Amino acid sequence: MADPTAITAVLTALEKAAAKALEYDPGTRAQLAKLAGQTLLLDCTQPAQKIYLQFTASGIALSGHYEGELAATLSGSGTDIAKLLFADQHSLYGSGVSISGNAGVLAQLQGLMGQLDIDWELALADIIGTLPAHALAQSVRGAGRWGRERAQSAERLIREYLAEESGAVLGRSEFATFVADIDDTRFAVDRLGARIARLQAHNDHKDH
Amino acid sequence: MSEKKTTHFGFEQVEVDKKAERVADVFHSVAGKYDLMNDLMSGGVHRLWKRYTIEKSAVRTGHKVLDIAGGTGDLSYQFAQKVGPEGLVVLADINASMLNVGRDRLTDRGVAGNLTCAQADAQYLPFPDNTFDCITIAFGLRNVTDKDLALAAMLRVLKPSGRLLILEFSKPANPLLEKAYDTYSFSLLPLMGKLITNDADSYRYLAESIRMHPDQKTLQGMMDNAGFVMTEFQNMTGGIVALHMGVKP
């Protein structure tokens, strides 16, 4: 068995981080209180470690040992469980994670994780003061906006280069014309086939 | 003329009836800065050891818990949250100075209603038989003069199926770690004690008393002899500390 000091240290740090995050997201904290009294076991197979999430009225307590009743148990590798809880994986199908117990608790938790909206500006204001925090947050937001615009512009330029300059791929309008031509040809072939069939039927009738 | 029985006080041999007095002097001296020193000496790791002890206690709402040698009350505070208003936590310590610090601190933190304090000797616990669901003694057993007597007293006041948890310094499993730990304990620890509490001797005693404390297997055997069942221990931080657990049949 691994030395409990290390895992206790990790769980303590995670618990404190979660408490800090919830402090700046009162909406999620209020929703989380609805799960109070329930305990979810994350039974990680890789690395082999059991983590108990105990929901309380004020947040989440994490522990490596618990002897009470469990609402649900999630079993799988650490990465798969994390993907299921924090990323876009919404279904257990193909997730590599199995669940036993009340699946509703997992659904509620996933919903809350998706809605997590931490007020970073407020968190920053508690450390460096309101005005500097606002100025810094504005700069970060500005930088984020600039970054998004540059990314969109780069995507457009690459698309134009590939389609117009290098000719490596078809442009959108050329592709549309090409598809329309194929459609016209298909209709013409269909019509021709129908005429041949009609002529053949006409000749057969005359022979008799 | 009859020869007086002696016991160890750190590396020193003292008369049995003098040990409690000498230990009391140490803790009277360090009480005011006990938690600060613990944080400095262990780099804050003592909080992780105690947190793990609380997890393993499996204490829940309505339980009665006895925190022996509870000192400054950090375990009692957590237990008071866990047992809720229907439960009870008894913070016990033989040393009045330590108990005063603990009681004041818990009052300041708003703990009331489900907590009482008792100045009590672990060898002669002043509680009826079968009273507690859980007993903890964290970093206290090594200072008790007669550990077998104390274990018997704990067994008596525990309820059947009640749980005893002993958190105590122990013997590092790795010889290299043991060597480094020895150097730290006998050189750095008294120096820190001198700088912070102006009391190198008390911290030298703490280091010596750790070396004189029974190792993991010996303590487990003592718990078995006292009548505990399902005894086990868990090394922490390479065996510098061990958590022993036993159940009253």
Side-chain angles (χ1 to χ4, degrees):
Chain A
M1 187 181 171
D3 194 313
T5 315
I7 184 68
T8 308
V10 171
L11 294 179
T12 305
L14 288 175
E15 188 180 292
K16 283 189 176 166
K20 207 70 195 164
L22 288 173
E23 199 179 309
Y24 298 108
D25 185 359
T28 303
R29 196 171 62 226
Q31 290 294 314
L32 204 60
K34 291 178 185 166
L35 291 172
Q38 310 218 53
T39 301
L40 182 67
L41 166 61
L42 308 181
D43 189 2
C44 297
T45 48
Q46 186 66 37
Q49 180 63 49
K50 285 181 163 57
I51 299 173
Y52 297 88
L53 301 183
Q54 292 168 256
F55 301 101
T56 64
S58 54
I60 305 175
L62 301 181
S63 66
H65 184 89
Y66 176 75
E67 293 181 17
E69 201 176 318
L70 292 172
T73 301
L74 286 181
S75 308
S77 74
T79 332
D80 288 341
I81 292 176
K83 266 190 212 161
L84 190 68
L85 290 178
F86 302 107
D88 290 337
Q89 175 78 41
H90 293 300
S91 161
L92 280 169
Y93 178 75
S95 67
V97 179
S98 62
I99 187 167
S100 60
N102 179 6
V105 175
L106 173 65
Q108 274 179 280
L109 190 60
Q110 274 186 313
L112 289 176
M113 291 297 177
Q115 291 165 16
L116 201 61
D117 182 20
I118 298 165
D119 188 346
W120 293 112
E121 189 176 325
L122 185 60
L124 209 58
D126 283 351
I127 302 166
I128 61 172
T130 313
L131 288 176
H134 182 65
L136 193 62
Q138 286 287 73
S139 310
V140 171
R141 276 193 284 267
R145 205 163 34 241
W146 183 86
R148 272 193 303 279
E149 283 167 9
R150 293 290 80 73
Q152 283 166 1
S153 160
E155 187 189 335
R156 184 172 46 79
L157 287 172
I158 289 170
R159 205 167 49 227
E160 281 175 11
Y161 171 77
L162 288 172
E164 310 295 337
E165 303 289 333
S166 75
V169 292
L170 283 175
R172 196 183 289 274
S173 58
E174 287 170 307
F175 182 70
T177 310
F178 174 68
V179 169
D181 286 350
I182 288 176
D183 283 345
D184 288 349
T185 309
R186 196 180 70 223
F187 289 137
V189 169
D190 286 349
R191 278 195 293 273
L192 186 62
R195 278 179 190 157
I196 290 169
R198 199 180 61 193
L199 282 171
Q200 204 155 19
H202 184 68
N203 283 343
D204 289 350
H205 183 69
K206 273 173 73 178
D207 289 345
H208 292 292
Chain B
M1 183 181 152
S2 67
E3 202 170 297
K4 287 207 167 176
K5 278 183 76 176
T6 61
T7 187
H8 55 82
F9 173 77
F11 291 160
E12 194 184 330
Q13 283 294 314
V14 295
E15 289 172 20
V16 165
D17 52 0
K18 291 278 189 290
K19 173 163 174 172
E21 202 179 300
R22 296 283 298 273
V23 171
D25 287 343
V26 168
F27 283 92
H28 282 311
S29 165
V30 302
K33 291 184 174 166
Y34 187 73
D35 279 352
L36 171 68
M37 275 303 289
N38 276 347
D39 277 333
L40 287 172
M41 288 187 312
S42 70
V45 178
H46 75 104
R47 294 177 190 278
L48 300 175
W49 297 329
K50 287 171 182 169
R51 181 181 165 127
Y52 185 69
T53 304
I54 290 164
E55 282 180 16
K56 293 292 275 188
S57 73
V59 163
R60 55 179 186 272
T61 310
H63 272 184
K64 284 185 177 174
V65 181
L66 174 60
D67 178 17
I68 302 176
T72 50
D74 36 7
L75 280 182
S76 287
Y77 175 77
Q78 298 297 334
F79 282 135
Q81 314 302 310
K82 286 197 173 281
V83 301
E86 306 96 63
L88 177 72
V89 178
V90 178
L91 168 62
D93 204 299
I94 193 170
N95 189 284
S97 301
M98 294 290 286
L99 200 59
N100 283 342
V101 172
R103 188 183 50 205
D104 290 351
R105 190 164 299 172
L106 291 170
T107 308
D108 289 347
R109 296 176 84 178
V111 180
N114 63 353
L115 184 126
T116 60
C117 298
Q119 188 174 359
D121 185 339
Q123 300 166 115
Y124 310 101
L125 292 169
F127 306 105
D129 297 358
N130 310 320
T131 303
F132 297 100
D133 298 284
C134 178
I135 295 179
T136 55
I137 176 164
F139 306 112
L141 191 66
R142 70 177 191 283
N143 299 312
V144 174
T145 308
D146 189 337
K147 294 171 184 60
D148 293 317
L149 196 58
L151 288 171
M154 292 174 206
L155 186 75
R156 181 182 64 77
V157 301
L158 261 182
K159 287 179 186 172
S161 81
R163 197 176 291 198
L164 168 67
L165 293 106
I166 302 171
L167 180 66
E168 190 53 272
F169 289 105
S170 207
K171 188 174 165 57
N174 184 312
L176 273 178
L177 177 64
E178 190 173 16
K179 191 129 186 85
Y181 181 48
D182 273 351
T183 311
Y184 169 75
S185 305
F186 293 111
S187 308
L188 213 58
L189 201 61
L191 181 68
M192 285 164 79
K194 186 164 176 56
L195 290 174
I196 293 162
T197 63
N198 196 26
D199 182 5
D201 289 344
S202 293
Y203 285 91
R204 187 168 298 111
Y205 160 74
L206 292 180
E208 290 176 4
S209 66
I210 290 166
R211 299 307 182 280
M212 298 306 290
H213 186 66
D215 66 14
Q216 288 89 331
K217 288 277 182 196
T218 310
L219 182 55
Q220 188 180 13
M222 289 166 71
M223 291 172 75
D224 290 334
N225 291 339
F228 286 96
V229 295
M230 297 166 69
T231 58
E232 59 181 13
F233 65 84
Q234 171 79 56
N235 278 339
M236 289 192 269
T237 321
I240 287 176
V241 161
L243 176 65
H244 282 74
M245 286 158 288
V247 173
K248 178 173 177 173

